[in-house]
Amino acid sequence: MYIKLIPVAASCDVTDLAGTTAVVFDVLRATSTIVTALASGFRLVYPVAEADEARALAEARGFLLAGERGGEKIAGFPHGNSPLEFSAGPAAGSDALVLTTSNGTGAIRKAAAAACVLTGSLLNARAVAAAVLREGRDVQLVCAGTAGEFSLEDALGAGFVLVEMEQAAGGLPEMDDLAMAAYDLARFYSRDPLAGLRAGRHGQKLLRLGREADLRWCARLNRFDLAPVFTGDCLMVPGVES
Amino acid sequence: MYIKLIPVAASCDVTDLAGTTAVVFDVLRATSTIVTALASGFRLVYPVAEADEARALAEARGFLLAGERGGEKIAGFPHGNSPLEFSAGPAAGSDALVLTTSNGTGAIRKAAAAACVLTGSLLNARAVAAAVLREGRDVQLVCAGTAGEFSLEDALGAGFVLVEMEQAAGGLPEMDDLAMAAYDLARFYSRDPLAGLRAGRHGQKLLRLGREADLRWCARLNRFDLAPVFTGDCLMVPGVES
């Protein structure tokens, strides 16, 4: 097993994904929101790159619609991209969510060329590590990034998955230096993951937007024991829906 | 002042360098070798990308010739790329050195589009930090990388320069998340920089080639108080040669 970290999904070479397990990280906040929703009673999450497409899908199928651009809820959308909006589970109506965000949902769709696509975050690092080890393939840790730039918190999420893989397997697999740097970052912030989320520019921006509660939520390491899988269409928890 | 880290020199956009101070890092080993040579009595170091060009320059000018490919001395060259070959200073003959290496010398030439080009390493992190602060421009920390891939030790060198800038200036300037990750890496390895040099794939390769003494040398933080400047032609210490 060889592990490679892609620092920005936008510059990901999709031909490299063939035959691998890809794990997509948009820790602030898309992949944290996805795992929160699926852990809280939502059955399916549809990641959609474009806002118009998301709205059309939600209307056609009667799904809940959520979307964010630049850290803020899309005008006219009933929900934004805060995990706290979905932590109480679905209200009456649909238990399927359509989600479109600035970076994460496009990254998930781009990673679809892999043999298996998971979404990772601090919230489910251990569950993702176990799933990656079960799959047994080479791994691409795909950091969504922010507006085409590397984001610290995505590498931190990848690093925590590597820390959990080491714990579970009794050693680290071979990896490239970006993955090693992410692993070291996670060890650096292991006692205070929230400090890691605050250190990056996107975390700083969300704090300025009043989203400290979101950062605190996203910093809760191993809060959920599930590894969402992308089917090419939607995200689900294997075994819950097939 | 805004600080940006370029993870691999090969993918550096030279138009972004205009008007900035660039600091090139090839910690294992080109930039460590350059600072060692200039601190030990060599007056000039000519970084040359191609081996043939290096040989021709050395022969034409009577300079000392040194070169490395894949971690090993180029066949027929009198010197390789170990800093320990130059730490005793020049013997009788020329005090100018022509150096060609797999990644570092090309990275220095590529960075020449910047307003000021320095070379950094753990050996001279504090001196580089002081020079960067004196220059006062935006900064590009250009990591040479290895064969087109990110190298942990180059980011570590950049991180130690940021740690020294923080100490000298009483705070961190604004920076992108890659620079922040490098700063965190340096803080993670601050008590044992050698462990950081051992952690990367290129450090591992040099250990397999029997180069542990080189790693130990390159891990000596702030051993030298000088910041080599690239003139577009050669590297020198400002004030020593003009």
Side-chain angles (χ1 to χ4, degrees):
Chain A
M1 181 182 283
Y2 186 75
I3 302 189
K4 199 170 150 66
L5 185 142
I6 311 298
V8 186
S11 60
C12 174
D13 183 345
V14 293
T15 60
D16 287 351
L17 291 166
T20 70
T21 299
V23 188
V24 179
F25 297 89
D26 187 358
V27 166
L28 293 176
R29 296 167 289 174
T31 56
S32 298
T33 295
I34 288 163
V35 69
T36 299
L38 290 173
S40 306
F42 285 90
R43 202 170 44 89
L44 303 171
V45 178
Y46 289 80
V48 174
E50 301 302 327
D52 288 348
E53 192 193 340
R55 192 193 314 259
L57 176 63
E59 284 177 5
R61 308 274 300 269
F63 297 156
L64 203 65
L65 177 63
E68 161 271 341
R69 288 296 180 273
E72 307 208 68
K73 186 167 79 68
I74 297 174
F77 273 46
H79 291 280
N81 183 26
S82 166
L84 299 172
E85 294 180 67
F86 309 102
S87 58
S94 178
D95 56 4
L97 178 66
V98 179
L99 180 67
T100 179
T101 71
S102 302
N103 305 287
T105 51
I108 294 166
R109 296 220 152 248
K110 187 153 189 187
C116 170
V117 182
L118 306 169
T119 58
S121 67
L122 277 64
L123 293 168
N124 67 337
R126 186 172 298 154
V128 167
V132 161
L133 289 168
R134 268 197 312 274
E135 294 287 338
R137 297 183 196 84
D138 287 346
V139 180
Q140 303 245 344
L141 304 170
V142 181
C143 296
T146 305
E149 301 240 325
F150 169 85
S151 260
L152 189 71
E153 68 276 8
D154 296 337
L156 191 62
F160 277 117
V161 168
L162 292 168
V163 166
E164 296 294 339
M165 285 178 72
E166 183 188 29
Q167 296 271 327
L172 276 175
E174 214 187 339
M175 59 177 85
D176 70 4
D177 275 18
L178 277 169
M180 181 60 74
Y183 168 73
D184 288 339
L185 267 182
R187 293 195 294 164
F188 182 68
Y189 285 113
S190 62
R191 290 186 183 182
D192 189 1
L194 179 60
L197 299 190
R198 287 178 179 278
R201 294 176 68 79
H202 189 53
Q204 288 292 318
K205 178 178 177 180
L206 289 173
L207 289 174
R208 286 194 301 275
L209 292 172
R211 292 292 177 185
E212 180 167 357
D214 284 2
L215 265 70
R216 289 187 177 278
W217 181 269
C218 295
R220 296 174 72 177
L221 196 59
N222 297 320
R223 171 74 179 75
F224 297 123
D225 184 27
L226 58 93
V229 172
F230 183 52
T231 64
D233 185 33
C234 65
L235 291 140
M236 58 173 59
V237 182
V240 174
E241 170 84 0
S242 66
Chain B
M1 181 182 286
Y2 186 74
I3 302 190
K4 197 170 150 67
L5 186 141
I6 312 297
V8 185
S11 59
C12 173
D13 183 346
V14 294
T15 59
D16 287 350
L17 291 165
T20 70
T21 299
V23 187
V24 180
F25 298 88
D26 187 359
V27 166
L28 293 176
R29 297 166 290 171
T31 56
S32 298
T33 294
I34 287 162
V35 68
T36 299
L38 291 172
S40 307
F42 283 90
R43 203 169 45 89
L44 303 171
V45 178
Y46 289 81
V48 175
E50 301 301 328
D52 288 348
E53 192 193 340
R55 192 194 313 260
L57 176 63
E59 283 177 5
R61 309 274 300 268
F63 296 158
L64 202 65
L65 177 62
E68 160 273 340
R69 288 295 180 275
E72 307 207 67
K73 186 167 80 66
I74 296 174
F77 273 46
H79 292 280
N81 184 27
S82 167
L84 299 172
E85 294 180 67
F86 309 102
S87 58
S94 177
D95 58 2
L97 178 66
V98 180
L99 180 66
T100 180
T101 72
S102 302
N103 306 288
T105 52
I108 294 166
R109 295 220 153 249
K110 187 153 189 186
C116 169
V117 182
L118 306 169
T119 57
S121 66
L122 278 64
L123 293 167
N124 68 337
R126 187 172 298 154
V128 167
V132 161
L133 289 169
R134 268 197 312 275
E135 295 287 337
R137 296 184 197 85
D138 287 347
V139 180
Q140 303 245 343
L141 304 170
V142 181
C143 296
T146 304
E149 301 242 324
F150 169 85
S151 259
L152 188 72
E153 67 276 7
D154 296 336
L156 192 63
F160 278 117
V161 168
L162 292 167
V163 167
E164 296 293 338
M165 287 177 70
E166 183 187 29
Q167 296 271 327
L172 275 177
E174 213 187 341
M175 60 177 84
D176 71 4
D177 276 16
L178 276 170
M180 182 58 76
Y183 168 73
D184 288 339
L185 266 183
R187 292 194 295 163
F188 182 68
Y189 285 113
S190 62
R191 291 187 182 182
D192 188 1
L194 180 59
L197 299 190
R198 288 177 179 277
R201 294 177 67 80
H202 189 52
Q204 288 292 318
K205 178 178 177 178
L206 289 173
L207 289 173
R208 286 194 301 274
L209 292 172
R211 293 291 177 185
E212 180 166 357
D214 285 3
L215 265 70
R216 289 187 176 277
W217 180 270
C218 295
R220 296 174 71 177
L221 196 60
N222 297 321
R223 171 74 179 76
F224 298 122
D225 184 25
L226 59 92
V229 171
F230 183 53
T231 64
D233 186 31
C234 64
L235 292 140
M236 58 174 56
V237 183
V240 174
E241 170 84 1
S242 65

PDB file of all heavy atoms in Angstrom, chain B residues 205-214:
ATOM      1  N   LYS B 205      16.742   7.968   1.500  1.00  0.00           N
ATOM      2  CA  LYS B 205      17.611   7.511   0.403  1.00  0.00           C
ATOM      3  C   LYS B 205      19.076   7.825   0.715  1.00  0.00           C
ATOM      4  O   LYS B 205      19.964   6.977   0.507  1.00  0.00           O
ATOM      5  CB  LYS B 205      17.190   8.199  -0.903  1.00  0.00           C
ATOM      6  CG  LYS B 205      18.072   7.808  -2.078  1.00  0.00           C
ATOM      7  CD  LYS B 205      17.622   8.459  -3.366  1.00  0.00           C
ATOM      8  CE  LYS B 205      18.586   8.096  -4.482  1.00  0.00           C
ATOM      9  NZ  LYS B 205      18.167   8.672  -5.777  1.00  0.00           N
ATOM     10  N   LEU B 206      19.333   9.037   1.211  1.00  0.00           N
ATOM     11  CA  LEU B 206      20.719   9.404   1.536  1.00  0.00           C
ATOM     12  C   LEU B 206      21.268   8.509   2.652  1.00  0.00           C
ATOM     13  O   LEU B 206      22.456   8.131   2.627  1.00  0.00           O
ATOM     14  CB  LEU B 206      20.807  10.881   1.924  1.00  0.00           C
ATOM     15  CG  LEU B 206      20.593  11.857   0.754  1.00  0.00           C
ATOM     16  CD1 LEU B 206      20.522  13.299   1.268  1.00  0.00           C
ATOM     17  CD2 LEU B 206      21.709  11.730  -0.288  1.00  0.00           C
ATOM     18  N   LEU B 207      20.416   8.146   3.602  1.00  0.00           N
ATOM     19  CA  LEU B 207      20.868   7.216   4.653  1.00  0.00           C
ATOM     20  C   LEU B 207      21.255   5.870   4.046  1.00  0.00           C
ATOM     21  O   LEU B 207      22.273   5.279   4.413  1.00  0.00           O
ATOM     22  CB  LEU B 207      19.778   7.040   5.722  1.00  0.00           C
ATOM     23  CG  LEU B 207      19.532   8.252   6.624  1.00  0.00           C
ATOM     24  CD1 LEU B 207      18.320   8.008   7.526  1.00  0.00           C
ATOM     25  CD2 LEU B 207      20.766   8.572   7.474  1.00  0.00           C
ATOM     26  N   ARG B 208      20.451   5.408   3.097  1.00  0.00           N
ATOM     27  CA  ARG B 208      20.777   4.125   2.429  1.00  0.00           C
ATOM     28  C   ARG B 208      22.088   4.236   1.662  1.00  0.00           C
ATOM     29  O   ARG B 208      22.811   3.250   1.500  1.00  0.00           O
ATOM     30  CB  ARG B 208      19.649   3.717   1.469  1.00  0.00           C
ATOM     31  CG  ARG B 208      18.402   3.194   2.166  1.00  0.00           C
ATOM     32  CD  ARG B 208      17.459   2.478   1.186  1.00  0.00           C
ATOM     33  NE  ARG B 208      17.008   3.309   0.086  1.00  0.00           N
ATOM     34  CZ  ARG B 208      15.945   4.130   0.136  1.00  0.00           C
ATOM     35  NH1 ARG B 208      15.234   4.239   1.251  1.00  0.00           N
ATOM     36  NH2 ARG B 208      15.614   4.836  -0.913  1.00  0.00           N
ATOM     37  N   LEU B 209      22.404   5.451   1.170  1.00  0.00           N
ATOM     38  CA  LEU B 209      23.660   5.671   0.438  1.00  0.00           C
ATOM     39  C   LEU B 209      24.831   5.943   1.390  1.00  0.00           C
ATOM     40  O   LEU B 209      25.924   6.299   0.946  1.00  0.00           O
ATOM     41  CB  LEU B 209      23.501   6.848  -0.540  1.00  0.00           C
ATOM     42  CG  LEU B 209      22.564   6.631  -1.734  1.00  0.00           C
ATOM     43  CD1 LEU B 209      22.348   7.943  -2.498  1.00  0.00           C
ATOM     44  CD2 LEU B 209      23.123   5.561  -2.687  1.00  0.00           C
ATOM     45  N   GLY B 210      24.599   5.825   2.697  1.00  0.00           N
ATOM     46  CA  GLY B 210      25.696   5.991   3.658  1.00  0.00           C
ATOM     47  C   GLY B 210      25.995   7.433   4.009  1.00  0.00           C
ATOM     48  O   GLY B 210      27.102   7.755   4.451  1.00  0.00           O
ATOM     49  N   ARG B 211      25.024   8.306   3.838  1.00  0.00           N
ATOM     50  CA  ARG B 211      25.251   9.742   4.014  1.00  0.00           C
ATOM     51  C   ARG B 211      24.723  10.283   5.350  1.00  0.00           C
ATOM     52  O   ARG B 211      24.298  11.445   5.418  1.00  0.00           O
ATOM     53  CB  ARG B 211      24.592  10.499   2.847  1.00  0.00           C
ATOM     54  CG  ARG B 211      25.253  10.242   1.512  1.00  0.00           C
ATOM     55  CD  ARG B 211      26.630  10.861   1.501  1.00  0.00           C
ATOM     56  NE  ARG B 211      27.372  10.600   0.278  1.00  0.00           N
ATOM     57  CZ  ARG B 211      28.626  10.966   0.093  1.00  0.00           C
ATOM     58  NH1 ARG B 211      29.291  11.586   1.064  1.00  0.00           N
ATOM     59  NH2 ARG B 211      29.240  10.704  -1.036  1.00  0.00           N
ATOM     60  N   GLU B 212      24.758   9.481   6.388  1.00  0.00           N
ATOM     61  CA  GLU B 212      24.245   9.935   7.681  1.00  0.00           C
ATOM     62  C   GLU B 212      24.996  11.172   8.188  1.00  0.00           C
ATOM     63  O   GLU B 212      24.392  12.077   8.777  1.00  0.00           O
ATOM     64  CB  GLU B 212      24.332   8.813   8.719  1.00  0.00           C
ATOM     65  CG  GLU B 212      23.804   9.298  10.055  1.00  0.00           C
ATOM     66  CD  GLU B 212      23.534   8.194  11.066  1.00  0.00           C
ATOM     67  OE1 GLU B 212      23.697   7.011  10.739  1.00  0.00           O
ATOM     68  OE2 GLU B 212      23.146   8.549  12.193  1.00  0.00           O
ATOM     69  N   ALA B 213      26.314  11.227   7.955  1.00  0.00           N
ATOM     70  CA  ALA B 213      27.092  12.389   8.415  1.00  0.00           C
ATOM     71  C   ALA B 213      26.600  13.674   7.739  1.00  0.00           C
ATOM     72  O   ALA B 213      26.590  14.743   8.356  1.00  0.00           O
ATOM     73  CB  ALA B 213      28.574  12.168   8.147  1.00  0.00           C
ATOM     74  N   ASP B 214      26.196  13.558   6.485  1.00  0.00           N
ATOM     75  CA  ASP B 214      25.639  14.731   5.785  1.00  0.00           C
ATOM     76  C   ASP B 214      24.343  15.187   6.455  1.00  0.00           C
ATOM     77  O   ASP B 214      24.135  16.387   6.671  1.00  0.00           O
ATOM     78  CB  ASP B 214      25.346  14.402   4.317  1.00  0.00           C
ATOM     79  CG  ASP B 214      26.606  14.335   3.466  1.00  0.00           C
ATOM     80  OD1 ASP B 214      27.718  14.493   4.024  1.00  0.00           O
ATOM     81  OD2 ASP B 214      26.477  14.127   2.242  1.00  0.00           O
TER      82      ASP B 214
END
